[in-house]
Amino acid sequence: MKHFSVHKNFFADAQKLRSEFDGNFSNPRGTDSKRFVWDYWYFEDQYHLIRTPAFYYFTKKLYQNFHSQLVQWGRENLGCHDISPPWMSYYVDGCYQNLHSDVPHGPWAFVYSLTIDPKAFKGGETLIVKPDVLDYWSTFQDQQ
């Protein structure tokens, strides 16, 4: 049984999302508020990244189009009514997310990447744990 799926070209306006992201950083001397909404999130041995709520970062219409498509897909394919508000994150050298669970947000998770060249850097890769690892102790037998 497959426990994940990949949907290339999920959102037709993906390039607009990426362009908006790039545009917010295009002027290194600029003081637009979009440059300063990022939270440096560090929790020892667990998270080291920069993040922001996607809702506040993108223009309202572009974000709503993405959110609506994501929710509709979840309803049609997963039986979900809605989603938790998505976060954006970016990774620079030394950033990471170690294995973790997003259990408080429900049984499903997603990653939507705006990365243009995934081989240009290291960090932020998505790893998916096999279900038998999550159920590792259910078959444990003490040998004593």
Side-chain angles (χ1 to χ4, degrees):
M1 178 177 189
K2 193 172 179 182
H3 297 279
F4 68 92
S5 61
V6 176
H7 299 271
K8 293 185 180 202
N9 304 314
F10 174 79
F11 184 55
D13 287 334
Q15 185 55 49
K16 288 181 182 178
L17 288 171
R18 179 60 200 217
S19 293
E20 194 168 315
F21 176 86
D22 290 338
N24 289 334
F25 287 98
S26 64
N27 179 0
R29 295 180 184 192
T31 57
D32 184 280
S33 63
K34 299 277 178 130
R35 293 179 54 91
F36 301 101
V37 297
W38 296 93
D39 171 41
Y40 174 76
W41 197 31
Y42 177 77
F43 188 88
E44 188 174 3
D45 297 325
Q46 189 67 61
Y47 304 103
H48 182 183
L49 56 107
I50 297 93
R51 67 184 186 159
T52 192
F55 177 80
Y56 296 113
Y57 190 77
F58 293 108
T59 55
K60 188 175 183 176
K61 182 172 178 15
L62 184 58
Y63 173 80
Q64 285 178 335
N65 289 344
F66 174 73
H67 186 99
S68 294
Q69 183 168 339
L70 190 59
V71 168
Q72 188 61 36
W73 188 90
R75 288 176 180 168
E76 293 172 2
N77 296 279
L78 303 174
C80 296
H81 174 70
D82 206 349
I83 61 172
S84 299
W87 284 80
M88 290 178 52
S89 55
Y90 74 83
Y91 303 81
V92 294
D93 288 340
C95 286
Y96 58 85
Q97 280 192 51
N98 280 332
L99 293 178
H100 66 281
S101 172
D102 287 330
V103 170
H105 301 289
W108 305 103
F110 73 92
V111 173
Y112 188 78
S113 179
L114 296 176
T115 302
I116 294 172
D117 184 3
K119 294 184 174 117
F121 69 95
K122 181 169 177 57
E125 296 89 353
T126 300
L127 302 173
I128 299 173
V129 177
K130 293 181 179 180
D132 53 324
V133 172
L134 299 174
D135 196 30
Y136 178 79
W137 294 106
S138 68
T139 59
F140 176 78
Q141 295 181 2
D142 190 356
Q143 300 298 316
Q144 294 181 0

